Amino acid sequence: MTRQKLLKSEIVQLFNTTKETLRHYENIGLLSPEIDDNLYRFYDINELNRLRQIIVLRDLGFSTLDMKRILNGGIDKEAYLGMMKDHTRLLDHKISHLIKVRDETNQMIDLMSKDDFSLSFTIHEKHSREYILVNPFEIPVMDSLKTYYDTFSTLIKSEAYSEKTLISIFKYNSLDNFEKEDSRIGIEIDKGMSLSDINNTYETMSLTCGLYLSVFYVFKEGQMNDLKNLKSHVEAYLAANNLTVNSEYVVEIEHPELSILLADHEGLYEMQIKVSVCK
Amino acid sequence: MTRQKLLKSEIVQLFNTTKETLRHYENIGLLSPEIDDNLYRFYDINELNRLRQIIVLRDLGFSTLDMKRILNGGIDKEAYLGMMKDHTRLLDHKISHLIKVRDETNQMIDLMSKDDFSLSFTIHEKHSREYILVNPFEIPVMDSLKTYYDTFSTLIKSEAYSEKTLISIFKYNSLDNFEKEDSRIGIEIDKGMSLSDINNTYETMSLTCGLYLSVFYVFKEGQMNDLKNLKSHVEAYLAANNLTVNSEYVVEIEHPELSILLADHEGLYEMQIKVSVCK
DNA sequence: TTGCTCCTCACGTCACGTGAGGTGGC
DNA sequence: TTGCTCCTCACGTCACGTGAGGTGGC
């Protein structure tokens, strides 16, 4: 009679995993395959399905201890559904964060791959966003990290906060003849943050949801003239893609986290311009 | 004079991290903040930006050793871009896998949250998919795991393979009066798999890309009549959402990995029906 | 028989977390 | 001063991986 069950090596291939992983799950009592006289493991359909379950639970972020409680029936339906909802919500955040990291990195790769380091364009549908604006007289004070921290401490200490860089908001038209005075400095407020405190403390501004053109570019300190070139490139891109600018204001975001191989006086920036498709 | 730089606790709040993480990065030489007489750490803008970079690299899946090589300048632009491309590609796979896990789990939660365990519907745009079909005379043989493994070993041993359950393909109309003989058993082939080998070895069938209605339901062994009820529910959903069935064939996928709290004779299934929006 | 696959058991590792014990006004 | 925050150093932990040393024809 031929063998009915599967060997460890076969399970390893089926699930694209390693024998050490299977051994680990067995050691902690998550799997219990049949053990032969010569100590070979044999996995039947039940063990296979159990491993399938272990792997989904792992991908959802459960610990092996939680898995044991869930899979050994030490949990009722209510509790189980609650845990599942928590974990899918966490996964939601993780996924959208990873998508953001991936997209920004791809944009950086695209930009750096070009010989002339010029520009990289993408178009995305964006949610509405809210920004805290700093009073102009506070701008010089932003040179000190401590003042920066103190200025936004209410924001930073709140639950939903995640790390942000300062942004600039200015008028699209001022790109022609850019002066520092035309721009205002701000910081994004996370969704799900209680706005009541914030609105009392800070001046805010919001951008509506819709289609935005992201322009990634390398800015060399003091090279303000490059911004004029930038505008002509943007206009060319808009014309070629049948788009028009749809808002007076433009947001400029610094990406120091992506400037790894850039020189000290250079920085990677993203400009977001609201656009709409021409009819 | 007031303090200019940030304390460890302030960095912890800014980046939503822990002091142990910062200590770890310092221990291995990734961060080197200024150290005061009383051994307090002070972080300036350079350390802050470096931490920003460390965190993106971490999210992209780099090890701390790789981070050191990258951030300490031990790598040129070419190599850097290569590493970045590899990591964003890996992240792509990870993201799409996690999205699949999250969506399926949400569907399971939706279904299990209902009192009557009835049905859960969603509509998704799907890519085209290809299936290997098993000859009808091989079906009884599928009861043995080893034969299952041997039947698909070419497929399983190939690089791109990821774990799959068997699917059923049958005609939408046969849902009225379902007989086992009307269906065929198959297994999905991963994208990017070399089809040349496979097409010679196996009989294949493909489903076109487009809009699919996914119906999740719990099937109790032997309760074939439930399938008739299922059809009437599907028809009601289609009518209510202004949809029509757009293909002769329907795919049925078992989800043993989501059946964790179900009884032994019950299983969680998903039926995918190609639809189009009525004009 | 050889080479390949399976096994065990101890220890290693990666990225932190914990806990005891102590200083200092940041 | 008290309580809070900072520190160090050793050890713990989670989910595996590695490597030495040995069996068996799956």
Side-chain angles (χ1 to χ4, degrees), chain B residues 118-155:
Chain B
S118 51
L119 298 169
S120 170
F121 297 97
T122 33
I123 295 181
H124 280 299
E125 193 73 35
K126 303 253 181 201
H127 292 117
S128 66
R129 287 157 289 164
E130 192 126 5
Y131 296 95
I132 288 174
L133 296 184
V134 180
N135 284 326
F137 64 80
E138 288 188 80
I139 294 178
V141 138
M142 300 309 287
D143 294 335
S144 152
L145 263 189
K146 174 62 173 161
T147 324
Y148 166 78
Y149 177 83
D150 290 341
T151 309
F152 299 111
S153 67
T154 309
L155 185 66

Side-chain angles (χ1 to χ4, degrees), chain A residues 25 31 50-58 67 71:
Chain A
Y25 292 154
L31 282 176
R50 197 172 162 101
L51 180 55
R52 244 194 274 267
Q53 293 172 349
I54 291 169
I55 288 174
V56 206
L57 292 177
R58 185 184 64 182
M67 290 182 199
L71 294 178

